[in-house]
Amino acid sequence: MTDTQRRIQPKLALVLALLTTITSLLTTSCSDPAPTNNQGGTPAASSGTTSDSSQGLKIGSLLSNTGDLASIAQPLPNAIKMAVDTVNGCGGINGAPVTLVSEDDQSDPSAGTAAMTKLSEVDRVAGVVGAFGSGISTAAADVAVRNKVMIVSPGSTSPIFTTRAKEGKYSGYWARTAPPDTYQAQAMAQLAIKRGFKTVATIAINNDYGVGFEKEFVTAFKKLGGTVTNEANPTRYDAKGTTFSSEVKAAFTGKPQAIAALVYPDTGSILLKDAYEQGLSKGVTIMLPDGAYSPKFPDQVGKDKDNKFILAGAIGTVPGAHGKALEDFNKKWTATGKPLTAYLQHSWDAAALIMLAAQSAKTNTGEGIASKIREVAGGSGQEVSDLCEAITLLKAGKKINYQGASGNVDLDAQGDVVGTYDIWQVQPDGTLKTIDQVNIQTAAGASAAPKTDTKPSDKPAQKPKVEAKPAATPTPAVPAKQG
């Protein structure tokens, strides 16, 4: 070997090593990240606006496993997984298994935005079940729409979504299986009048959910002849606050017969315990919304000096579940050994609608789901409540009208459903028991099948009729504690 060859050989080796490294980096950067499957199933290829039916449907859940809403929302991902497992057990969607990726929004809009961004842009899901809190869904929906991902909430009930949908801000990529608080506020107002309350005060968590509910309740209660004692100066509390002494005093000023406490469990429990300790809640009925419907809530508020639950006798409203698929769902859920809690059926239905819409569209994209979700939810097709039967019909080219566990899930042009509300009461032993039911039915013509386009309706919403009647099939009593 010559001196010249000896000098060239190290340089040549260095060049070859650099070329190998560059080639490896280019190969890695040009490939998609490995699919994530937090549920232990078979990973499917990423699904987004560029996916096709051969890649497999990929959906996400965005719910509150931690934070202020955790005591209500923690069981919900299990209902979604149960729906996915049921569909995969009968062949999946578009000939392939469905993959589920679950994220925790931490009951916080910022965390929810980050999680939704991950689901949309990294995991590249086509649809998402979530969020639960309205403030979180407000933030997450913007990310979903931007990425053409269908988002279906099982529990965000603020009226603000109806308004924004009418303004065309969601382009058909938003829906929810729980009815808006436009209706729940009327149910609570009806309940107050039925109990003989002429004066009620409000205290609300200062977010889309609390403020939206408060405004609708004030309007509804006044129309029924009631007086809201703090209407001119509504009491609202910081969602991240830890002490609420001044807010409590303000709400109880005026000596109302009842307080509509539009709260979440963690912060609401501090607030109501403070009201008791100040002696302000004595003789005043506490009225609670779905946001506080947690089996742990009476324990969080605590007991009095006689070891009795402070919340005993409190009453509230919550969207009920009275759909044709309810019995079958309840059997499936009971077999898991977990207690039945609120919004499980709404979560199942949200996942079902996303999957059925993808099958109807014959594509695993957000655009495809958005184009078909209203048709499968409440179109002119064959009524069906069994998921496997629904998929079989869709594969055969037939249209369906899915009848859910929570209700008929007929989505209107704004992605809303009209629901039934259970009236519940905190029992002396701290359990939550359904004691009544309020049916909300729209005026004549609203029961007709909705149009199957995704454009917001130009027609004003019809005023609903509110009719209270005893529950024919009460929701199972919710135990004070759950595992």
Side-chain angles (χ1 to χ4, degrees):
M1 183 181 293
T2 66
D3 291 341
T4 301
Q5 289 174 319
R6 291 190 184 94
R7 288 194 300 271
I8 292 174
Q9 189 175 32
K11 293 180 180 179
L12 180 61
L14 178 60
V15 169
L16 290 172
L18 287 171
L19 285 172
T20 300
T21 301
I22 292 169
T23 301
S24 176
L25 287 172
L26 286 172
T27 301
T28 302
S29 65
C30 292
S31 62
D32 289 334
T36 303
N37 180 2
N38 294 348
Q39 300 300 327
T42 303
S46 296
S47 175
T49 57
T50 59
S51 298
D52 61 31
S53 298
S54 65
Q55 293 180 297
L57 177 64
K58 196 173 190 180
I59 69 173
S61 72
L62 179 65
L63 294 163
S64 304
N65 295 329
T66 57
D68 205 354
L69 288 166
S71 60
I72 303 174
Q74 277 179 345
L76 306 186
N78 294 320
I80 299 165
K81 183 178 184 301
M82 192 166 74
V84 170
D85 289 345
T86 298
V87 166
N88 285 341
C90 53
I93 296 298
N94 292 318
V98 178
T99 301
L100 175 63
V101 183
S102 297
E103 292 292 335
D104 178 15
D105 62 37
Q106 303 173 39
S107 304
D108 180 76
S110 297
T113 300
M116 187 68 206
T117 301
K118 174 184 175 294
L119 287 169
S120 300
E121 300 176 8
V122 178
D123 299 307
R124 298 174 66 197
V125 300
V128 170
V129 178
F132 187 74
S134 292
I136 305 160
S137 284
T138 298
D142 291 339
V143 179
V145 173
R146 183 173 69 243
N147 287 281
K148 296 183 178 180
V149 171
M150 186 71 211
I151 181 169
V152 184
S153 172
S156 293
T157 56
S158 172
I160 196 165
F161 298 105
T162 304
T163 301
R164 291 177 178 174
K166 286 180 178 178
E167 294 170 351
K169 293 185 178 180
Y170 296 138
S171 303
Y173 288 96
W174 162 265
R176 50 184 165 184
T177 51
D181 288 332
T182 312
Y183 301 137
Q184 186 175 184
Q186 294 177 55
M188 183 176 283
Q190 181 78 5
L191 175 61
I193 293 296
K194 188 176 181 180
R195 288 297 181 104
F197 303 142
K198 296 181 179 179
T199 59
V200 175
T202 61
I203 184 166
I205 188 169
N206 194 13
N207 61 15
D208 286 345
Y209 169 76
V211 174
F213 199 131
E214 168 208 277
K215 291 179 177 179
E216 294 292 338
F217 174 79
V218 170
T219 299
F221 189 54
K222 287 176 63 181
K223 283 184 178 179
L224 295 174
T227 298
V228 178
T229 57
N230 61 342
E231 179 186 2
N233 189 22
T235 307
R236 298 165 184 169
Y237 71 89
D238 186 354
K240 295 184 178 181
T242 55
T243 58
F244 308 107
S245 179
S246 60
E247 291 91 341
V248 167
K249 288 178 181 177
F252 282 84
T253 299
K255 299 181 179 179
Q257 294 172 290
I259 289 278
L262 311 174
V263 301
Y264 285 167
D266 287 359
T267 49
S269 62
I270 298 170
L271 185 150
L272 292 173
K273 186 174 183 178
D274 193 319
Y276 165 75
E277 291 175 345
Q278 292 188 54
L280 297 171
S281 58
K282 185 177 181 180
V284 179
T285 298
I286 305 299
M287 300 179 66
L288 297 165
D290 60 314
Y293 187 78
S294 162
K296 298 179 181 179
F297 193 49
D299 280 319
Q300 287 178 281
V301 178
K303 297 181 179 181
D304 62 19
K305 60 183 180 180
D306 297 321
N307 203 36
K308 296 179 179 179
F309 282 94
I310 294 171
L311 273 187
I315 54 177
T317 55
V318 64
H322 304 279
K324 291 185 177 180
L326 178 62
E327 184 178 354
D328 184 58
F329 172 86
N330 285 351
K331 285 180 180 178
K332 284 185 173 69
W333 185 263
T334 301
T336 69
K338 300 181 178 71
L340 280 164
T341 56
Y343 292 104
L344 290 170
Q345 297 89 350
H346 300 81
S347 300
W348 165 281
D349 286 342
L353 288 177
I354 289 172
M355 292 186 287
L356 294 176
Q359 183 63 58
S360 178
K362 294 182 172 55
T363 178
N364 298 323
T365 65
E367 298 102 314
I369 294 169
S371 72
K372 291 293 185 178
I373 192 164
R374 291 182 61 218
E375 181 180 291
V376 299
S380 57
Q382 179 178 331
E383 288 192 1
V384 57
S385 59
D386 181 84
L387 283 181
C388 291
E389 182 184 356
I391 292 169
T392 299
L393 290 169
L394 290 170
K395 285 180 178 178
K398 297 180 180 179
K399 292 184 178 182
I400 66 164
N401 180 342
Y402 174 66
Q403 303 294 299
S406 62
N408 62 22
V409 294
D410 290 353
L411 301 175
D412 67 13
Q414 286 75 51
D416 287 339
V417 295
V418 178
T420 300
Y421 292 91
D422 289 338
I423 306 302
W424 54 279
Q425 185 176 48
V426 181
Q427 301 299 293
D429 63 357
T431 59
L432 311 182
K433 182 180 179 181
T434 299
I435 60 172
D436 205 348
Q437 185 185 113
V438 175
N439 279 344
I440 305 235
Q441 297 178 329
T442 55
S447 59
K451 297 177 182 178
T452 55
D453 60 27
T454 57
K455 296 179 181 179
S457 173
D458 294 324
K459 298 180 180 180
Q462 293 174 307
K463 295 181 180 179
K465 296 187 293 185
V466 184
E467 176 189 359
K469 68 176 184 179
T473 308
T475 301
V478 182
K481 296 181 181 180
Q482 63 179 22

